[in-house]
Amino acid sequence: MKSLFSVIILTLFTLVLFGVLYPLAITGIAGLAPGAGKGETVSVNQKVLGYKKLGQSFTAEKYFWGRPSAVSYNAAGSAGSNKGPSNPAYLKEVETRIDSFQVHHPYLTKKEIPSEMVTASGSGLDPDISPEAAMVQIKRVATARNISETQVAALVEKSIQKPLLGLFGPSVINVLELNAALDQIQ
Amino acid sequence: MNTEIAGIIAMFVITLLLAIPLGKYIARVFGGEKTFLDPVFNPVEKFFFKASRIDVTREMNWKQHLYALLSINFVWFFLSFFILTNQGWLPLNPDGNPSMSPDLAFNTAISFIVNCNLQHYSGETGVSYLGQLIGLMYLHFVSAATGMAACAVLFNAMRERQTSQLGNFYNYFLKSCTRILLPLSIVLATFLAFKGVPMTFEGKDTITTLQGDTVKVSRGPAAAFVAIKHLGTNGGGFFGANSAHPLENPDYSTNMAEMIAQMIIPFAMIFALGYFLRRKKMAWAIFGVMTAGFLLLAVPTVIFEMNGNPAIEKMGIAQHAGSMEGKETRFGAAASGYWSIATTVISTGSVNSMHDSSMPISGAMQLLAMMINAFYGGCGVGILNYYVFIILAVFISGLMVGRTPEFLGKKVEAREVKIAAVIAILHPLLILAGTALASYFAAGDTPMGWWFNGNATGWLNNPGYHGFSEMLYEYTSSSANNGSGFEGLGDNNPFWNITTGIVLLLSRYLPIIGPLAIAGLLADKKYIPESAGTLKTDSSTFSIMVFAVIFIITALSFFPALALGPFAEYFTMF
């Protein structure tokens, strides 16, 4: 009985230290971080367009599109499709996505369609696409906006985030920031 | 060189370089030597022990250690179970998430106490902030410290010539928390917060997107949570998508930091053993075997993920990025494949890609990593698991050369080998029996009644061989205290909550009790000085022997099951 009392008291004290004081300290520190710990947002002219790190659903022809999402970019939740690589229903779905991508980009051969544009991300909220996936969309976006392809291409080029220190990891483009910049042109 | 490959090499090298000094520091902490944090934490610890009337100078034998360990774990279960089943009306619940059902709370509480973190719920909808911080994050700290304290007892038993006094459990436990886990967590959480991981008590935000849709955005006190989730090799995520979620792992630098954080303590414990026993060569021998095993699992996985899905290749599109289903663009296929093996050899179980969508061979490697469960391993317990294989290897080598098996100057006799054999058999037994049970119901598409809403095949997200892999993975992950999943599996129901809950309990505590019992028994024996006939346990020959024992036990136990799941899927695809 005495040792049970001891472990309960020890549990309560450690609970205060690790479960209360530690998160409060980190909350205090996070207040100094960009976004004050509430998540960084992207705004244009004081209007918040969304969270910088969270992807949004883009379906209009005048925007660059992000990747397919298992949760339709609803950030109240998050999930991947969890489809296995040999699942016949899943493979059929990918074929449908390829066909639909080709309908919207008739100038592309199949070989030019990047697989990431027809496969769902892990979180369903992937904010990025690869530079290759942006390149193939330039013509569509330029046509829809009635501006020159070189103008859009220059913007894409400017949006590329290089690998960490130029050495580690892939290059990516944040779709929301690219589209927000695109809207600024007109 | 390819920047994706360079990234994973950098992660491994940085971890190793940081782990060596950290190992030295951990050895000092466990040895009771002075450390630079003494002025801050000595008074705190003294106060805690005085208030709880624990005399930390009282040394314990191995049975008293186990008694202390189990009784404090028992208290945590009730604490966590109470919070999870009542979080709906308790404070800090801005999103109005409901209390957990008893079977889900049973599974979740056990899962976090045993350092597994299966998570049959989604963080955004399944727990309140109080549940996250008190019900779960507190357990991130103390469950990791439990493993480290058990490991400290093992170190002590290996060092002493002949004793039954192996230090004080509460002392090792609290010091693991305050001297190792807490300071590292503060550093990592600060870094993550500045890189964009939220740390707020505000509830969901509502935003209008650029295209004009209205969506809600889940947030919360994530930075503190994500830091200890990796350092303690727990792996239970704040959000449903775990470290694939952009707010939990915003960019490549945080991905590297989280990767390094989850591997650093398991690496450091090996070097701590070397410093503590003054047997650095033995530490490097152990590290060598573990690294060889790790690379044999990681390299094929990275290659298969970077090569992409052959079924999609046939459709004629470009797979320059590799297999991208279930992966995030900012990490890429290489870092996702590498993470999937690191998180399964170590018992973290956090994911930055969805393992269910991995290539078949990658899935097999993830499963094997957990089936072996002794390459690096979780905080502290990795060494305990490896210790069992050392004892078996010592015994078999002894038989081969016709000498009484000895390890560190102690005779290994029938009783110790029996315990080691039971522990080695337990893991395949729990995994295969569980999988057999679930497959039996799924094969017959049995109506499950109260246990599951509908027929048994309803819990599968994929048909055929892959469906079998989903069930095999769930029990493997439970038994290895891993916590990752082939998450397509419909596991939030009484059948999966209760059966995996039982596996979790058995597979955590018996593999702690077993090695500590062996170590305690050996420590009590008379010390025999080394002679020319002593088996050298830090030689490369012995290292190969241990590797062979691990391979044979796993191959014999698990290859039939792997053949039915991932290997069969592989042969239908390639």
Side-chain angles (χ1 to χ4, degrees):
Chain A
M1 233 24 243
K2 185 184 154 281
S3 68
L4 192 62
F5 165 83
S6 294
V7 293
I8 290 173
I9 301 293
L10 185 60
T11 297
L12 291 179
F13 277 104
T14 49
L15 189 64
V16 171
L17 182 58
F18 305 123
V20 180
L21 297 178
Y22 161 68
L24 286 180
I26 301 300
T27 311
I29 294 171
L32 308 171
K38 294 171 187 171
E40 260 180 278
T41 50
V42 177
S43 353
V44 173
N45 306 330
Q46 269 103 50
K47 190 174 173 290
V48 176
L49 304 175
Y51 282 81
K52 189 176 166 188
K53 306 291 183 191
L54 295 177
Q56 297 183 355
S57 169
F58 290 105
T59 47
E61 297 282 331
K62 62 172 182 167
Y63 285 125
F64 282 90
W65 298 346
R67 301 180 57 198
S69 158
V71 294
S72 315
Y73 285 103
N74 181 356
S78 58
S81 73
N82 284 311
K83 297 289 187 202
S86 64
N87 185 332
Y90 158 68
L91 293 171
K92 198 164 273 169
E93 200 181 336
V94 172
E95 290 222 61
T96 317
R97 286 186 194 138
I98 294 174
D99 293 342
S100 136
F101 200 81
Q102 265 198 314
V103 170
H104 291 279
H105 305 82
Y107 52 89
L108 290 180
T109 63
K110 250 191 177 179
K111 196 84 211 114
E112 291 169 311
I113 300 176
S115 63
E116 64 189 272
M117 294 309 293
V118 293
T119 51
S121 62
S123 61
L125 305 170
D126 195 341
D128 304 311
I129 53 175
S130 68
E132 290 85 349
M135 304 291 179
V136 299
Q137 302 183 46
I138 290 175
K139 192 167 177 180
R140 187 201 75 226
V141 173
T143 315
R145 291 186 174 254
N146 226 347
I147 50 177
S148 78
E149 275 182 52
T150 43
Q151 213 176 346
V152 180
L155 197 61
V156 168
E157 194 61 39
K158 222 178 79 185
S159 315
I160 296 176
Q161 298 168 22
K162 292 267 180 280
L164 182 62
L165 308 175
L167 295 172
F168 308 128
S171 299
V172 296
I173 290 178
N174 184 305
V175 184
L176 175 60
E177 287 180 314
L178 173 60
N179 283 333
L182 208 52
D183 276 351
Q184 290 304 102
I185 294 181
Q186 288 173 328
Chain B
M1 191 173 33
N2 183 322
T3 52
E4 290 197 43
I5 301 285
I8 58 181
I9 293 173
M11 284 188 249
F12 187 88
V13 173
I14 295 172
T15 315
L16 181 57
L17 293 179
L18 293 175
I20 296 171
L22 181 64
K24 197 170 185 179
Y25 171 75
I26 292 176
R28 289 180 71 93
V29 170
F30 288 160
E33 293 171 50
K34 275 204 175 107
T35 60
F36 71 103
L37 288 170
D38 287 357
V40 189
F41 287 115
N42 269 353
V44 177
E45 288 161 3
K46 218 177 224 170
F47 171 69
F48 282 12
F49 287 131
K50 202 173 165 205
S52 49
R53 292 189 219 154
I54 291 171
D55 174 14
V56 280
T57 57
R58 188 178 70 95
E59 298 222 20
M60 300 173 168
N61 64 30
W62 66 270
K63 284 182 189 160
Q64 289 164 327
H65 272 289
L66 289 175
Y67 180 78
L69 185 153
L70 293 173
S71 58
I72 198 162
N73 274 245
F74 189 68
V75 170
W76 298 335
F77 171 77
F78 285 101
L79 171 77
S80 178
F81 188 83
F82 172 79
I83 301 233
L84 295 175
T85 47
N86 291 284
Q87 60 184 7
W89 60 269
L90 287 168
L92 290 184
N93 189 7
D95 296 335
N97 291 338
S99 299
M100 282 190 184
S101 66
D103 59 295
L104 178 60
F106 167 78
N107 186 284
T108 307
I110 288 181
S111 181
F112 276 74
I113 287 165
V114 304
N115 203 266
C116 178
N117 304 193
L118 268 184
Q119 299 193 288
H120 290 172
Y121 63 91
S122 258
E124 294 94 336
T125 50
V127 251
S128 69
Y129 294 164
L130 185 82
Q132 294 272 27
L133 296 180
I134 307 283
L136 305 176
M137 191 189 74
Y138 170 67
L139 298 176
H140 278 344
F141 276 98
V142 295
S143 68
T146 300
M148 293 170 77
C151 191
V153 178
L154 178 76
F155 286 1
N156 243 327
M158 285 163 84
R159 183 166 72 171
E160 299 303 326
R161 292 234 156 160
Q162 185 174 10
T163 183
S164 57
Q165 301 301 307
L166 303 171
N168 185 286
F169 175 80
Y170 300 111
N171 184 35
Y172 292 143
F173 158 71
L174 191 58
K175 279 203 167 150
S176 300
C177 286
T178 55
R179 305 307 172 91
I180 301 161
L181 294 170
L182 184 63
L184 289 174
S185 297
I186 291 172
V187 173
L188 182 61
T190 305
F191 176 76
L192 292 176
F194 275 84
K195 283 290 177 177
V197 179
M199 188 69 202
T200 173
F201 287 89
E202 288 178 20
K204 283 194 177 73
D205 193 10
T206 309
I207 56 159
T208 308
T209 67
L210 197 53
Q211 265 201 177
D213 309 324
T214 307
V215 293
K216 297 216 180 239
V217 175
S218 287
R219 298 178 297 177
F225 191 98
V226 176
I228 181 62
K229 133 188 165 189
H230 285 112
L231 285 161
T233 68
N234 298 281
F238 191 90
F239 300 105
N242 208 300
S243 278
H245 196 293
L247 293 184
E248 197 153 335
N249 195 356
D251 60 29
Y252 202 81
S253 71
T254 59
N255 189 60
M256 286 182 90
E258 291 178 19
M259 182 76 255
I260 292 164
Q262 62 183 297
M263 285 184 108
I264 191 166
I265 292 180
F267 275 30
M269 288 306 272
I270 304 166
F271 298 115
L273 174 117
Y275 286 112
F276 195 85
L277 303 184
R278 296 208 173 75
R279 286 175 184 272
K280 280 190 211 167
K281 204 179 155 202
M282 189 163 106
W284 279 103
I286 294 174
F287 185 77
V289 174
M290 291 181 168
T291 303
F294 171 68
L295 291 178
L296 283 173
L297 296 165
V299 172
T301 305
V302 170
I303 292 173
F304 271 99
E305 293 306 319
M306 289 185 82
N307 282 347
N309 185 341
I312 290 181
E313 195 75 48
K314 278 189 207 126
M315 298 174 194
I317 61 168
Q319 285 203 88
H320 57 81
S323 161
M324 287 305 284
E325 182 70 37
K327 293 195 183 62
E328 297 283 299
T329 313
R330 62 194 180 284
F331 310 140
S336 301
Y338 178 78
W339 180 301
S340 78
I341 295 304
T343 194
T344 43
V345 290
I346 291 168
S347 72
T348 318
S350 71
V351 296
N352 76 349
S353 68
M354 294 301 128
H355 291 190
D356 215 345
S357 303
S358 305
M359 290 300 106
I361 294 299
S362 313
M365 295 296 141
Q366 292 154 10
L367 281 161
L368 256 177
M370 295 185 287
M371 287 162 172
I372 294 164
N373 206 21
F375 294 149
Y376 308 135
C379 262
V381 291
I383 299 216
L384 293 182
N385 292 339
Y386 192 82
Y387 182 74
V388 171
F389 287 116
I390 291 182
I391 296 295
L392 291 175
V394 163
F395 174 67
I396 295 170
S397 318
L399 290 182
M400 285 164 76
V401 295
R403 285 182 180 280
T404 316
E406 281 170 28
F407 180 53
L408 301 180
K410 301 297 172 81
K411 269 188 194 158
V412 177
E413 290 168 304
R415 204 164 156 202
E416 292 85 49
V417 176
K418 270 187 208 155
I419 299 172
V422 168
I423 299 302
I425 292 168
L426 177 79
H427 189 50
L429 178 75
L430 291 173
I431 293 171
L432 297 176
T435 311
L437 182 72
S439 310
Y440 171 78
F441 290 129
D445 201 14
T446 320
M448 297 301 291
W450 175 79
W451 294 88
F452 179 74
N453 184 15
N455 288 7
T457 46
W459 61 50
L460 298 177
N461 191 43
N462 289 286
Y465 305 122
H466 197 88
F468 175 78
S469 302
E470 286 183 333
M471 296 184 282
L472 177 64
Y473 197 105
E474 189 69 8
Y475 284 108
T476 308
S477 173
S478 308
S479 185
N481 280 312
N482 187 274
S484 63
F486 272 14
E487 287 299 343
L489 185 77
D491 48 18
N492 181 15
N493 47 67
F495 179 80
W496 286 97
N497 283 336
I498 293 171
T499 57
T500 56
I502 294 166
V503 170
L504 286 167
L505 276 179
L506 295 172
S507 64
R508 166 72 165 184
Y509 294 109
L510 295 179
I512 288 181
I513 295 171
L516 285 195
I518 297 173
L521 291 169
L522 289 182
D524 228 354
K525 290 185 186 184
K526 202 166 155 281
Y527 180 79
I528 313 155
E530 254 182 55
S531 68
T534 307
L535 177 73
K536 290 253 180 299
T537 44
D538 52 9
S539 66
S540 49
T541 323
F542 184 73
S543 298
I544 293 168
M545 187 70 199
V546 179
F547 193 90
V549 167
I550 293 174
F551 181 79
I552 291 165
I553 290 182
T554 348
L556 288 179
S557 328
F558 292 115
F559 273 61
L562 287 174
L564 289 174
F567 290 141
E569 190 185 12
Y570 169 80
F571 287 114
T572 58
M573 287 184 76
F574 283 81

